[in-house]
Every structure is written in C-alpha cells, then in structure tokens.
Amino acid sequence: MSRQALSWGRLPAPEQRLIRLGSRFDALPTTTGSLLPYGLGRSYGDSCLNGGGALLGTRGLDRYIAFDRDSGVIEVEAGVSLGEIIELALPQGWFPAALPGTRFVTVGGAIANDVHGKNHHRAGSFGHQLLGFELLRSDGQVLHCSPTTNAALFAATIGGLGLTGLIRRASLQLLRVPGPCIRGSSERFGSLAEFFALSAEAEAASAYTVAWIDSSATGANTGRGIFIRGNHAEGPASYAAPRGIRLPITPPLSLINPLTLAAFNALYYRRPAATARDALWHWQPFFHPLDAVLEWNRIYGPRGFYQYQCVVPMQDAETVIGEMLRRIAESKLGSFLVVLKTFGNMAARGMLSFPRPGATLAIDFPNRGAQTLALLDSLDAMTMAAGGAVYPAKDARMSAAAFRQYFPQWQAFAGHVDSRFSSSFWRRVTEYPQ
C-alpha cells in the first residue's frame, strides 16, 4: 500500500508501503526492502518516512501491560499514545513527566525522537522518565534495554529515530500531580532581553515555562511576545477539556501569508487574555492548544510547510535568535506558530538527542519553494556558527554536513542501527557527503 503526505508537514511524500502490526508478538515482515516503525506521523519532515521501503504501523500495539498506582510506573505497548496514558493515569494522580506539544504521539515515537516539553529545566526530556523497553531486532533477537542492561543500545534508541529496531513495549515513571489543571500566569514582553530575564526568574518557581513570539514584529518590537508559566494544580471535578473541532478541507492556497500573519500576530499580542494573573487552565489547552483543531496542518495548503526548530547555546542565544527573527520578519515567510523556551542543563540520555543547554526556537514556514529553502539554509548557517543544533523530528532538508556537526556521535550511533531499518532522513544525512 502506498501513502502520501505521511509526515505532519504535509510535504510531498515518497512511495512506501504501510504494513500494520496487530500485536507486539508479530514477527517482522519478510518482504524485501528496509523497514521503519511509524506511529501517529507527528514528525514534521522525513524522519518518519521510508521512500521505497516499508513503514511498520504500530498503532495496533495499543495495550496497557501494567500500572502501579502507588509508584506511578506504567508499562505499555509502543503504539499507545501519550494522550491515552493521560486518560488512564491522570484520574489516579499521575501525568507524563515530559510532554511534547501534542498528545497525539505514541510512546515508541516519543522515545525515538526523545521528545521534550515546557519543563526541560525540571524533568529533562522523555528519555529521562524511561525505565526500560523491549526491542525487536531484524535478526529475531528480543532485547531488554535499560540504563544497566544493553545500555549502549538503550542510549542509541533514545532519540534514535526508529533505526535501531522495533520498540515493542516500554516502562515509564510518571509524575505525581495534584489534579487536572495548571495554575499560572501570562504576560506580554517587548524584547528578547525581557524574555530571558522572565525565563530565568520563572524557572525557579514554575515547572512549565514557554513563550509565543511575534514573528512579524520588526525594529524595536523584534522579539516581543507572551510569556506563560505554570504548575500542576487541583481543579474542579467538573472541569472539562474544551471540545476539539476538525479542519475539514485543505484550502487551495496557504492561509498563512504576510497580510493575515501581521494582522493575526498584532491582535494576538494585544488581546486582553495575553495578560492573566493566577489563571487556572485545564491541562489540554495549556499543553496542547493546537490539538483543539484536528488536522490544523491543513491551513498551509496543498504544498505543506516546513518546521524549523533549533537550539542555541545560552551565551549567544539572545544575539543569534534576535538575528534569526529579524531575517524571518524581513522575509515575510514566517508564521503565527512560533515558540521560544529554554532547555536546562540535564545531560541527554540519547546519543542523537536534540535537547541540550540553551534556548530553543521553533517556527513553521509555509512551503514557498526555493525562497523558503534559502531562508532555512541561512538559519542553519547561524545555528552551526553558534554551535547549536536542529531537531531531526522537525526537519525535511538539513544537509549531511549540518547533521554531522549537530550530532557528532552519529558515527558511533550508526554502529547500533539495525541492518534492515532505514529512513528517508537517515539516507539523506549519511549517504551523501556535503
């Protein structure tokens, strides 16, 4: 079976087969060609694609195996989503310790991309809550991997983009929480200097910190945005999550353009709700505001979009990110989906993990062909010069040279790649010298 537009960026996808697994006890298919696990397809570029090969659909691996309500340790199959874990565990007072910007991510995908959330300064990334997993290799071996058993393969699989084999089951340590809500505040800031001051102050008292940035702001307003902070809190028993809506069609043209962007960003920045003191939010709109619009990625039209997420060491972050935002505003290629936050100093567990100390900027760009790619190349040049990195889960075009600088352990990692597993991304960044 062939599939198109399988990554979240909706960029043109290569021909590939999708083989759905129904159980963690299924053997790997004996068909020729390479394999790659595929969960809910929330990677933005080609790290979840396998042109000319097969994708192993893991959503059939959806069973809960064990849950200790006293310790918060849960064991699930790799196709269970983080949202499904929350549905089971939150009424018992437990929550994922590291949660990305969507709940529609499988446990296997969260491990493969070592996802992170708004609390890296407290909890690190997803790999830090991972106690162990079971990995099926193409030679038939079933290996238990943990920090003390098959430790090198454990480190290679965290952030390993699904290339080390098929994760069949995993054990996680959840976080004890008092209820389903987040209590916190939001406030406007007028510059990147203000953002970094707010972030440094907030991280001492708040588990979660993040900012929205106005990518169309120029001049003295460059870097302005809205800063949000919060902690888990009790909430009314009847407090319900807002109901989501589905974007039913893909518009013929991108709805993100210079006119709509400038107007939306100005209104969003100045709206009364941008300033809130002692606010009480349900966890869903706090962590996953975009999940309220199912298939929101359609707004970019039939050509899709690129997401760019980089991390820059803190000593140069204000200067480098400021220059990035100036170039983005001048290009008029930006989006209203712009997030800025900081990573703490917790060392990553994965050999190819993206989170590292510094500030991380994430922004969507409508696909306008060569113009967009040229802008992204210029952002890459700044990231490389600063000694930063770009997130493979969000990438669809970084060069092999850039990847090798961002992830200097890539050759050691390559020694753990299963011989039958590959991806369009992996071939792009390792097979072609640039």
Side-chain angles (χ1 to χ4, degrees), residues 126-283:
F126 197 82
H128 290 100
Q129 65 182 316
L130 184 61
L131 302 178
F133 54 80
E134 183 180 273
L135 190 71
L136 174 62
R137 303 275 280 183
S138 65
D139 61 5
Q141 290 189 88
V142 177
L143 301 174
H144 177 72
C145 302
S146 74
T148 57
T149 304
N150 294 310
L153 196 53
F154 181 77
T157 302
I158 297 172
L161 307 174
L163 298 170
T164 62
L166 175 67
I167 300 170
R168 304 206 303 185
R169 56 197 283 179
S171 296
L172 311 172
Q173 174 63 63
L174 301 181
L175 175 71
R176 173 67 82 178
V177 297
C181 294
I182 301 293
R183 186 175 295 279
S185 64
S186 63
E187 59 188 294
R188 298 183 189 91
F189 58 88
S191 68
L192 286 180
E194 289 184 48
F195 162 79
F196 285 107
L198 283 169
S199 184
E201 176 268 324
E203 287 179 1
S206 300
Y208 301 100
T209 61
V210 69
W212 168 85
I213 300 293
D214 179 356
S215 69
S216 58
T218 59
N221 291 325
T222 299
R224 73 179 184 180
I226 300 168
F227 188 86
I228 303 167
R229 67 185 86 191
N231 290 298
H232 287 281
E234 295 182 2
S238 61
Y239 202 103
R243 298 183 65 179
I245 60 173
R246 183 178 298 275
L247 196 64
I249 62 170
T250 301
L253 297 173
S254 172
L255 299 182
I256 309 300
N257 58 64
L259 292 178
T260 61
L261 178 63
F264 176 88
N265 281 358
L267 289 171
Y268 191 79
Y269 179 74
R270 300 185 185 283
R271 78 195 198 286
T275 300
R277 303 294 181 189
D278 195 31
L280 189 67
W281 296 291
H282 186 273
W283 69 268

Side-chain angles (χ1 to χ4, degrees), residues 175-382:
L175 175 71
R176 173 67 82 178
V177 297
C181 294
I182 301 293
R183 186 175 295 279
S185 64
S186 63
E187 59 188 294
R188 298 183 189 91
F189 58 88
S191 68
L192 286 180
E194 289 184 48
F195 162 79
F196 285 107
L198 283 169
S199 184
E201 176 268 324
E203 287 179 1
S206 300
Y208 301 100
T209 61
V210 69
W212 168 85
I213 300 293
D214 179 356
S215 69
S216 58
T218 59
N221 291 325
T222 299
R224 73 179 184 180
I226 300 168
F227 188 86
I228 303 167
R229 67 185 86 191
N231 290 298
H232 287 281
E234 295 182 2
S238 61
Y239 202 103
R243 298 183 65 179
I245 60 173
R246 183 178 298 275
L247 196 64
I249 62 170
T250 301
L253 297 173
S254 172
L255 299 182
I256 309 300
N257 58 64
L259 292 178
T260 61
L261 178 63
F264 176 88
N265 281 358
L267 289 171
Y268 191 79
Y269 179 74
R270 300 185 185 283
R271 78 195 198 286
T275 300
R277 303 294 181 189
D278 195 31
L280 189 67
W281 296 291
H282 186 273
W283 69 268
Q284 284 193 23
F286 181 84
F287 289 105
H288 305 139
L290 291 176
D291 282 356
V293 183
L294 303 177
E295 297 187 71
W296 60 262
N297 55 345
R298 292 176 179 266
I299 65 174
Y300 289 96
R303 298 185 69 182
F305 69 101
Y306 293 90
Q307 184 171 104
Y308 190 85
Q309 183 171 3
C310 65
V311 57
V312 177
M314 195 62 74
Q315 64 267 22
D316 298 316
E318 184 178 338
T319 299
V320 174
I321 291 175
E323 178 59 27
M324 287 181 173
L325 291 173
R326 280 187 283 274
R327 292 195 190 186
I328 291 166
E330 290 172 0
S331 74
K332 301 187 184 301
L333 294 174
S335 170
F336 63 85
L337 299 175
V338 187
V339 173
L340 179 62
K341 56 191 175 186
T342 58
F343 288 143
N345 294 321
M346 195 176 297
R349 278 183 155 186
M351 297 175 71
L352 294 189
S353 291
F354 166 72
R356 61 201 69 187
T360 178
L361 176 73
I363 178 169
D364 294 347
F365 294 96
N367 178 17
R368 297 195 180 123
Q371 186 181 12
T372 304
L373 292 172
L375 174 62
L376 294 173
D377 285 344
S378 73
L379 300 182
D380 260 353
M382 286 185 277

